[in-house]
Amino acid sequence: MLIDSHCHPDRLDLSAYGGSLDALLQDARDTGLVALLAVGIDLDSSQEMIRLAQRHAGIFASVGVHPLQPGPIALPEEEQLLALGRQPGVVAIGETGLDSHYDRANIEWQRESFRRHARVARQLRKPLVVHTRDARAETIALLRQEADPEVGGVLHCFTEDWATARAGLDLGFYVSFSGIVTFRNAEALREVAARVPLDRLLVETDAPWLAPVPHRGKTNRPQYVAAVARCVAGLHGLGEAEFNARMVANFSRLFQVAVELP
Ligand SMILES: [Zn+2]
């Protein structure tokens, strides 16, 4: 009974499945995946995630424009985000956020885009899916200004320190860990994951990126969330079944969805 709380189905490597996303999703279901959040990275991709969510039980869509883009693009209009966010199957807004790891050339664009996503999330009362990397203070400051703690959201693929996690929790956010938490050199991150309260935790793959150990270096897929869950369950001293049941409860509560269990 696994949930991948963040992945990008339109970017998955389908070569092992004869090019069929349906075949990959069926395989994921067969290995115990009961739900996933399909996260759009631009307006077209968001539309595709909505179509996917409308076609499959257990797939829920998040719509937004990722802070990292292959080249300069126009800022998303709030009207565009609102229109996408109101579609059936959409349970969250994002991913959005701030990333100054690679370069800060588009940081002004990122800030304004993030602000717009946060306002749309507040208006639609849907949780915000936030990416933050090497921009922790700015991310928290912007969330303090723009996010609604009653709606909250998730700090996804979390790699920052405990103070940042704590600040996010205080703002009503959940903290989601990806395969990075399984990496050998990620001891500090495992310490953070161990401190996040069990009722505010999520696990994810961020597939196709960041495959967890023991799949590291391969292309990632939603079913590999099992390895992330195993790692974080261990940090909390829980068996996998109990931990996974809690992840289903957290996902359902945050995104206000009913997950059908087999
Ligand atoms: Zn992502």
Side-chain angles (χ1 to χ4, degrees):
M1 199 167 71
L2 293 159
I3 291 194
D4 185 357
S5 76
H6 187 116
C7 64
H8 301 282
D10 56 340
R11 295 296 187 276
L12 295 174
D13 177 4
L14 304 175
S15 52
Y17 297 94
S20 162
L21 178 58
D22 283 354
L24 181 148
L25 293 171
Q26 187 56 51
D27 179 47
R29 247 187 301 276
D30 293 344
T31 56
L33 199 82
V34 292
L36 62 81
L37 186 68
V39 181
I41 55 178
D42 58 30
L43 297 175
D44 287 344
S45 153
S46 295
Q47 195 64 64
E48 213 172 314
M49 297 306 96
I50 294 171
R51 277 196 295 271
L52 198 62
Q54 292 176 350
R55 258 199 1 250
H56 296 270
I59 298 189
F60 305 95
S62 183
V63 296
V65 180
H66 196 289
L68 296 176
Q69 294 290 334
I73 62 166
L75 277 165
E77 299 296 338
E78 285 185 31
E79 281 310 318
Q80 293 175 303
L81 295 172
L82 282 167
L84 287 167
R86 288 193 181 106
Q87 300 295 315
V90 177
V91 300
I93 305 300
E95 76 182 82
T96 181
L98 298 173
D99 191 319
S100 51
H101 184 72
Y102 297 100
D103 70 82
R104 291 179 61 87
N106 74 338
I107 199 76
E108 271 308 327
W109 181 96
Q110 289 187 20
R111 269 190 206 119
E112 180 55 23
S113 176
F114 188 15
R115 207 173 282 284
R116 291 180 185 187
H117 282 80
R119 288 190 187 134
V120 165
R122 204 172 60 202
Q123 193 173 332
L124 296 178
R125 301 194 63 76
K126 289 185 178 173
L128 192 60
V129 177
V130 174
H131 167 115
T132 181
R133 193 168 183 204
D134 291 352
R136 45 178 96 152
E138 245 186 305
T139 300
I140 295 298
L142 194 142
L143 290 177
R144 283 205 181 107
Q145 285 172 11
E146 303 284 359
D148 179 349
E150 299 220 325
V151 181
V154 55
L155 300 177
H156 108 87
C157 193
F158 193 78
T159 53
E160 305 295 339
D161 60 1
W162 170 246
T164 309
R166 180 72 263 170
L169 293 165
D170 289 344
L171 286 162
F173 275 67
Y174 288 57
V175 183
S176 178
F177 293 89
S178 70
I180 293 176
V181 77
T182 68
F183 294 176
R184 198 161 51 87
N185 61 2
E187 200 46 55
L189 187 61
R190 281 190 285 276
E191 284 170 21
V192 174
R195 293 176 74 175
V196 174
L198 263 175
D199 61 352
R200 302 291 286 284
L201 261 177
L202 288 169
V203 287
E204 63 173 80
T205 61
D206 207 11
W209 302 292
L210 298 168
V213 173
H215 312 289
R216 194 170 178 185
K218 289 190 234 164
T219 169
N220 201 359
R221 49 183 80 149
Q223 42 274 59
Y224 292 170
V225 77
V228 184
R230 201 172 302 130
C231 170
V232 181
L235 298 174
H236 281 264
L238 286 186
E240 286 172 48
E242 186 183 349
F243 180 82
N244 290 334
R246 284 184 176 259
M247 294 307 102
V248 172
N250 291 353
F251 185 90
S252 308
R253 190 185 325 112
L254 175 62
F255 297 114
Q256 301 277 300
V257 297
V259 174
E260 278 175 48
L261 301 178

